[in-house]
Every structure is written in structure tokens, then in C-alpha cells.
Amino acid sequence: MKKLAAGNWKMNGSMAALAEVDALIAAHPAPACEMLLCPPTPLIAAMAARAEGSALQVGGQDCHQNSSGAHTGDVSAAMLAEAGASHVILGHSERRADHGESSDLVRQKAEAALAAGLIAVVCLGETEAERDAGATLAVIGAQLDASIPAGSTAATVVIAYEPVWAIGTGRTPTLAQIAEVHGFLRARLAGLIGAEAAGLRLLYGGSVKPSNAAEIFALPEVDGALVGGASLKAADFGAIVAALSAA
Ligand code: PEP
């Protein structure tokens, strides 16, 4: 699998902001890594239309676990796919915290995503209190076990390790801390899905920016990044894509 630079626009952006997509595509017509942007749901179809024929893939930020029904405000995985999405982020810490999403629910959503032909980008991460308590690996391991669907493969699932305290804060773990968690995840995945674990992309997320991307991408078992704030500007995200392409 190619490495993956994924951007999460969160609840940011507008039709006007899609000009950033044009700039990104123009500057990176054929990157050596995969390039994905996940805008708010109302922008997916328009972004996918702008990205058609380019190296840019488009994803959603969440989906419902059911395929249809009385779920006001939610969208199904098939709806995201029909709008042009190829991926969906699931279990982001903001959804786990703001919407009370459990790992069990995240797994159900991932199963729905896979059934609709989407690639599930499943997020895991410890809070600062959990890290301070020495519980990081226990927390991440429990989240991984419960969040990924049976039958996950390198082609259908991506894992993003995102320490909650590093998201949007400008703070990042040490390189040794990132390497420790990624090595742990690779080994734990092997126990869950066997040989598929070797090729499954493990992304780091949390305050990745052009100035720290290269050193993070040089770490073993880091196969890309999930990027929030720095994905909003083509110049910044493009620099991260370039760093990953060179890694
Ligand atoms: C994120 O939202 O997944 C994220 C990593 O945000 P940021 O890059 O802004 O820390």
C-alpha cells in the first residue's frame, strides 16, 4: 500500500474554500503517496467533482452504523460513497468526546463503511491524563481491539493514532513516544488480523505541520498522517504530501 496523507477539515471550509483543492491538485498532480481530504458532508460532492481525474481522494468524517432509517441529521456510508467519498474517518476523538461514541459503536460504523465499499480510517488515542497515568498502551490496545471490524485488511482499513492532547494544540509526543505506540499497534494488529497487519497503514495525527512532518515520517511503522488544521491550506498540506512522498 502507498503511504497516506489524509486531511480532516472538521467543521471548517465552504464552497469558496474549495479553491484550496484546485491549488493542491495543481501543485501535486502525481504524488508518490496517496492524498485524501475529508471535508464537511455538504462539501463532499463538490470537492469530489473538483478532484475527479486527479490524485486527490475525498472522504467523510463520520457515518451512521445503519444503512437507512429514522436517524435525523446522520448520513449513511452508502450516501457518502454516492457523493464521491472513498474513505470515512471514524472514531475521531472529537466524536468520541462530543458524541459519546464508544469503540463498539466505532466498530459498527466501520462495518457499515466496509459494506458500502468505503475505506475506514479508524482513530485511536489516549488523553493526557491517561498518558500521565502510564495507561497509554492499555488504552490504545483496548480501543484497537474493540474498534476494528473482523476481516479488516490493509486495503479496507487505516488506523490513525492521535493522542487527544496533541490534536489542535501544537504539542506533539516525542518521536520515541510515537514510535513506541506505532510499534505496539503493529504487533497488536498482527494478533488480530495476522499477515494483513504488515501492510495496514498506521497514520500519526496531532499537530502535524510542514516543519515536523519529515521527522515523523522517518519513524518506523509510520505510514502517513491524519492532519487537521494544516490540511485547510493547500500550501501547508502540500508540503506534508511532499514530505511523505520523499519519505
Ligand atoms: C485531527 O483533527 O485529526 C488533527 C490531528 O488535528 P490537528 O492536525 O489540527 O492537530
Side-chain angles (χ1 to χ4, degrees):
M1 304 293 301
K2 282 188 181 175
K3 294 180 178 181
L4 173 63
N8 173 13
W9 277 17
K10 311 193 184 189
M11 200 170 72
N12 297 297
S14 60
M15 290 297 286
L18 294 181
E20 294 296 324
V21 172
D22 300 337
L24 181 70
I25 291 168
H28 300 278
C33 64
E34 290 187 17
M35 186 166 70
L36 167 72
L37 282 178
C38 301
T41 306
L43 296 179
I44 289 175
M47 187 184 281
R50 312 263 282 243
E52 199 171 341
S54 80
L56 179 67
Q57 303 177 80
V58 179
Q61 299 176 9
D62 178 50
C63 69
H64 198 274
Q65 66 274 24
N66 293 345
S67 55
S68 64
H71 305 291
T72 302
D74 284 311
V75 296
S76 73
M79 291 170 186
L80 294 178
E82 191 172 31
S86 52
H87 296 62
V88 60
I89 298 169
L90 295 170
H92 190 282
S93 63
E94 287 152 16
R95 297 229 34 113
R96 290 179 187 259
D98 299 352
H99 299 268
E101 293 193 359
S102 66
S103 292
D104 185 57
L105 179 63
V106 172
R107 192 195 68 254
Q108 292 175 45
K109 290 181 174 208
E111 288 166 353
L114 268 48
L118 296 177
I119 295 169
V121 181
V122 177
C123 303
L124 318 167
E126 82 285 3
T127 63
E128 187 160 29
E130 288 164 343
R131 177 163 282 279
D132 289 347
T136 297
L137 298 184
V139 168
I140 302 284
Q143 288 179 342
L144 179 72
D145 294 354
S147 300
I148 72 157
S152 293
T153 69
T156 58
V157 172
V158 174
I159 303 290
Y161 167 54
E162 299 205 303
V164 178
W165 50 275
I167 294 178
T169 60
R171 298 167 58 204
T172 52
T174 65
L175 296 174
Q177 287 171 330
I178 297 173
E180 179 192 30
V181 173
H182 278 242
F184 168 80
L185 283 171
R186 185 76 70 198
R188 185 109 170 186
L189 265 175
L192 293 171
I193 62 171
E196 283 293 321
L200 194 147
R201 271 89 53 94
L202 299 179
L203 312 185
Y204 168 75
S207 297
V208 175
K209 43 191 185 276
S211 59
N212 63 13
E215 63 184 13
I216 293 171
F217 296 152
L219 293 171
E221 312 301 353
V222 173
D223 306 309
L226 180 54
V227 183
S231 71
L232 293 168
K233 291 287 166 216
D236 289 343
F237 192 58
I240 292 167
V241 167
L244 186 57
S245 293

